[in-house]
């Protein structure tokens, strides 16, 4: 993979983003194999119960369940992986909590150490291999969130051999449907969206976008460990690249019904409800998000309330104030970057209506620099013609 470092700067940037994206998503993948954890029905049930408590923000109860798993498997990485996931969710976004970042990294390092000890005993241990993959994925995501992209790519390169192993195992183990679906979809979609990466994409195994969508949908029904992540990213993919907002909302319906207090799912719901034109329902969730103190939630809540003021209430003055407030908050690479693009498109539409064409073009250009959503890019290009 050394050729990555000989690319032009734009190509290098897109390639790094593609690698980070894959392993950020793969970082949600817990262990799945034929080894001891999945052969233990009680432990599988405990993990499922613990994850349900965790996603419901009952962190005390989930930690107690995870501790019982640790007592049974003291030399297995499962406890440390689960506690890393919990730490990230409990202190989300993690980059706003420096002390907890150290705790998070300590869990990941211990998880990786135990996984590598298992691989030292048996290099064909699939369970250990996937704990290695999960740990490396979370480490890559952490580095990317902190804008250390070269470091993230270095971590991601170490994980690629583990990643490829799961592509042919979906029939044997349904949990692989999620990882394989994500890979099959993005392997085709990402070079379509970012043509500059086509010169280096040959180094990755082939994908199939249609199959990827099918696998993601199956993962929302057949998996246990990664059901929530599969459901979240199925909605994300249908919004970002397929522009199928109604389909995306059906996935979020599942999450919000089961975990109504989950802030990330609430934020996604505000977006999807806005996208399908259910403005008042969207505003209810935007108001919930605005009750949170974090910059990410203030950003998202302000932007969606601003967009609703523009589209639904036709109140450009209020909309402009809210959207300008929203873009003053720093965006998160994974979750709110496209929200900034949506805000700038709202500002561009209002500038067009008021006859401020130079301002309109400036806002639309800002949107194109930030947007990944195909619908946003199409609107920006149309307004700039």
């Amino acid at each position: 993979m050394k050729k990555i470092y000989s690319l032009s700067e734009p190509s290098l940037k897109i390639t790094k983003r593609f690698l980070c994206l894959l392993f950020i998503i793969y970082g949600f993948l817990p262990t799945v194999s034929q080894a001891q954890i999945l052969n233990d029905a009680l432990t599988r049930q405990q993990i499922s119960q613990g994850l349900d408590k965790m996603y419901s923000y009952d962190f005390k109860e989930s930690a107690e369940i995870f501790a019982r798993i640790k007592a049974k498997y003291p030399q297995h990485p499962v406890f440390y992986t689960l506690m890393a996931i919990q730490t990230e969710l409990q202190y989300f976004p993690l980059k706003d909590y420096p002390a907890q970042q150290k705790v998070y990294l300590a869990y990941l390092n211990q998880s990786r150490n135990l996984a590598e000890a298992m691989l030292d005993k048996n290099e064909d241990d699939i369970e250990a291999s996937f704990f290695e993959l999960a740990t490396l994925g979370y480490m890559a995501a952490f580095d990317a969130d902190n804008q250390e992209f070269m470091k993230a790519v270095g971590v991601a390169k170490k994980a690629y051999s583990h990643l490829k192993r799961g592509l042919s195992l979906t029939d044997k183990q349904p949990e692989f449907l999620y990882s394989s679906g994500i890979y099959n979809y993005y392997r085709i979609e990402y070079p379509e969206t970012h043509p500059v990466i086509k010169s280096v994409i040959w180094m990755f195994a082939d994908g199939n976008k249609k199959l990827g969508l099918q696998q993601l949908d199956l993962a929302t029904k057949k998996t246990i460990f990664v059901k929530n992540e599969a459901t979240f990213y199925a909605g994300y993919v249908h919004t970002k690249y397929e522009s199928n907002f109604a389909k995306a909302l059906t996935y979020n319906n599942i999450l919000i019904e089961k975990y109504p207090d989950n802030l990330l799912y609430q934020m996604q719901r505000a977006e999807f409800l806005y996208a399908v034109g259910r403005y008042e329902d969207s505003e209810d969730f935007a108001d919930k998000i605005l009750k949170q103190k974090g910059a990410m939630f203030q950003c998202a809540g302000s932007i969606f309330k601003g967009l609703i003021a523009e589209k639904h209430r036709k109140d450009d003055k209020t909309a402009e104030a809210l959207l300008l407030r929203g873009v003053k908050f720093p965006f998160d690479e994974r979750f709110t970057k496209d929200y900034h693009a949506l805000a700038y498109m709202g500002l561009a539409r209002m500038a067009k209506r008021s006859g401020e064409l130079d301002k309109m073009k400036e806002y639309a250009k800002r949107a194109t620099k930030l947007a990944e959503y195909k619908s946003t890019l199409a609107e920006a290009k149309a307004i700039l013609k």
Side-chain angles (χ1 to χ4, degrees), residues 3-55:
K3 288 191 177 183
I4 290 177
Y5 298 99
S6 65
L7 300 173
S8 65
E9 182 60 29
S11 183
L12 173 60
K13 184 177 180 181
I14 296 298
T15 303
K16 289 191 293 183
R17 191 183 301 162
F18 175 68
L19 277 166
C20 291
L21 174 63
L22 284 178
F23 290 99
I24 283 168
I25 295 172
Y26 270 76
F28 284 108
L29 179 66
T31 181
V32 282
S33 76
Q34 297 175 353
Q36 59 265 41
I37 292 292
L38 285 193
N39 281 338
D40 184 337
L42 176 60
T43 300
R44 291 200 309 270
Q45 184 180 29
Q46 285 180 315
I47 292 174
S48 182
Q49 290 171 346
L51 289 172
D52 276 345
K53 294 293 184 181
M54 185 187 76
Y55 286 112

Side-chain angles (χ1 to χ4, degrees), residues 29-34 38 126-127 130 173 175-176 225-226:
L29 179 66
T31 181
V32 282
S33 76
Q34 297 175 353
L38 285 193
I126 299 175
E127 187 161 299
F130 273 89
Q173 178 46 253
E175 298 293 326
F176 284 102
F225 297 102
V226 293

Side-chain angles (χ1 to χ4, degrees), residues 275-335:
V276 299
R278 290 173 55 182
Y279 298 124
E280 292 183 0
D281 291 336
S282 175
E283 190 166 29
D284 288 342
F285 281 91
D287 287 334
K288 290 180 180 180
I289 294 166
L290 278 172
K291 292 179 181 178
Q292 306 302 316
K293 294 180 180 180
M296 178 186 295
F297 302 115
Q298 290 297 308
C299 168
S302 296
I303 287 172
F304 285 113
K305 281 186 72 70
L307 291 170
I308 292 162
E310 182 227 348
K311 282 285 187 75
H312 182 50
R313 295 196 168 82
K314 313 300 181 184
D315 183 352
D316 284 3
K317 183 177 180 180
T318 299
E320 182 179 27
L322 285 165
L323 294 176
L324 289 174
R325 178 181 188 268
V327 297
K328 286 182 180 179
F329 292 101
F331 62 77
D332 179 272
E333 189 74 25
R334 280 193 277 172
F335 299 110

Side-chain angles (χ1 to χ4, degrees), residues 244-376:
N244 190 342
F245 308 120
K247 180 70 172 178
L249 184 59
T250 64
Y251 291 114
N252 179 263
N253 288 342
I254 297 169
L255 294 172
I256 210 71
E257 182 177 346
K258 193 169 185 181
Y259 309 106
D261 296 325
N262 188 293
L263 296 176
L264 187 57
Y265 300 160
Q266 287 182 4
M267 191 166 71
Q268 187 186 66
R269 190 161 188 79
E271 176 188 359
F272 291 177
L273 288 169
Y274 165 76
V276 299
R278 290 173 55 182
Y279 298 124
E280 292 183 0
D281 291 336
S282 175
E283 190 166 29
D284 288 342
F285 281 91
D287 287 334
K288 290 180 180 180
I289 294 166
L290 278 172
K291 292 179 181 178
Q292 306 302 316
K293 294 180 180 180
M296 178 186 295
F297 302 115
Q298 290 297 308
C299 168
S302 296
I303 287 172
F304 285 113
K305 281 186 72 70
L307 291 170
I308 292 162
E310 182 227 348
K311 282 285 187 75
H312 182 50
R313 295 196 168 82
K314 313 300 181 184
D315 183 352
D316 284 3
K317 183 177 180 180
T318 299
E320 182 179 27
L322 285 165
L323 294 176
L324 289 174
R325 178 181 188 268
V327 297
K328 286 182 180 179
F329 292 101
F331 62 77
D332 179 272
E333 189 74 25
R334 280 193 277 172
F335 299 110
T336 56
K337 186 176 182 180
D338 270 286
Y339 294 175
H340 274 229
L342 288 172
Y344 282 122
M345 280 312 305
L347 291 166
R349 290 191 295 269
M350 289 185 286
K352 182 179 181 179
R353 287 196 290 271
S354 64
E356 300 175 277
L357 299 186
D358 288 341
K359 186 180 287 188
M360 176 199 75
K361 290 179 181 179
E362 176 60 28
Y363 284 138
K365 287 177 181 177
R366 291 187 190 183
T368 59
K369 290 179 181 178
L370 294 169
E372 293 255 338
Y373 285 16
K374 285 187 176 181
S375 55
T376 308

